[in-house]
Amino acid sequence: MNKKNGTHFNEEQICKAIIDESQMLPSENEHLSDCTECRTAVESFEKDLKLLGQTAERFVPLPKKRMVLHEKAGKNFLWGWRTAFAAAITILFFVITMHSDSVKHIFYNKTEIANSELYSEDILMTEVNNLVENSLPAKYLFISDEENADYDEDFIDFVVPSVGDDVLSSTEKRGGLIC
Amino acid sequence: MLLAHQKKYPNSGRDRKTQAVILAEMAVAGNPNAFDQIVDLYYNTIFRMVYYRIRSGMDAEDITQDIFIQVLKNIKSLKDFSLFNSWLFSIAVNKVRDFKRKKRFTSLFGALSDKNTENEQEYEHETGAESGPLEGVIRQNFWKQFEAILNRLSSLEKEVFLLRFLDQLGIREISMALKKNESTVKTHLYRALKKIKYDSSVKELLKESMP
């Protein structure tokens, strides 16, 4: 205890002395200058803090790279811009080409394409043939009597004989000749 | 192995600050070499400042580079060149904060962390190769304990403590770098010191780490 200038510094006062001596009360300043014990306590803590800083500095690894400041700043901007532009163009190209028929040939199997084309051609030819045989649609065939068009000609002649045949046959029955 | 800019400028406190003010003025005036000299002058200090906070050499290099790019871009906006040191540290503090925020976000996707740890170990091995394996172990132990001590402080107490006792900034410079009142800085520094003074592990850490 230093009776002349009051009691010894407590922990709080030691911290205050380290942070800013100007904030200390005049009595505290006076005590610190007179009391070797308190001065030692402040200096010891200060020393510890300084040592902590020095030790930390000693244990920081050395940086490996040299700074490439200007190059990086320029390169980053250009590289980023170019990359974005190239990516946009590539995406656009793929979108357009994937939707065009001519490019589909590149991506799909040629045999498959040929088979599908043959199939569609068969369907078309069947339709054409049907139209050649019967140009009318199916529902009109009944009305136009085209449905019975397939009957045998001899059978029709038998049921409905032609006029010419009738005349000849009746004359022949009478046994005379027409001159 | 020391790089050219590491040999050229040893820590010289006030001289360096005066030199930086002159160089900043020259850089703004259009001297192309002035900025390179600022980088040479401050590179190690800023690298260390970042390393104290993130403890990854690889990331510290990248962040340091980003800090100087930011300085290069904005140096013309600096009105008072005498505040260059505080201004530089305020950029550094913000960059570190951004990095930590990003890291917290990416750590949600844990896949990257293993690879990063491997790379970091490789980096530490390469940079610490000269000091030997024992020094490497002591160093690892130091940072582990140092982190434990800092974790007892709040984030602002931690930042103020690091700026004052590891980065060697004055109270006024800290208040400018953090954009806080000087009294707020002192209050937080006082709280941090009180916690550290009562913490016996600081003394132990210093004893263990003595060469």
Side-chain angles (χ1 to χ4, degrees), chain B residues 13-26:
Chain B
R14 189 156 291 182
D15 289 347
R16 194 184 56 186
K17 284 175 193 170
T18 320
Q19 206 175 348
V21 171
I22 297 164
L23 288 171
E25 276 178 322
M26 283 163 70

Side-chain angles (χ1 to χ4, degrees), chain B residues 151-180:
Chain B
N151 283 341
R152 284 166 212 152
L153 311 179
S154 74
S155 60
L156 190 54
E157 285 166 9
K158 201 188 293 182
E159 193 55 63
V160 167
F161 177 80
L162 288 172
L163 284 170
R164 179 71 192 90
F165 295 104
L166 275 79
D167 302 315
Q168 312 294 332
L169 260 65
I171 300 285
R172 190 159 174 262
E173 285 177 318
I174 297 170
S175 79
M176 282 179 196
L178 298 178
K179 294 177 181 72
K180 304 269 181 207

Side-chain angles (χ1 to χ4, degrees), chain A residues 133-144:
Chain A
E133 284 178 16
N134 293 306
S135 54
L136 287 170
K139 63 181 177 180
Y140 296 118
L141 288 178
F142 178 72
I143 300 166
S144 65

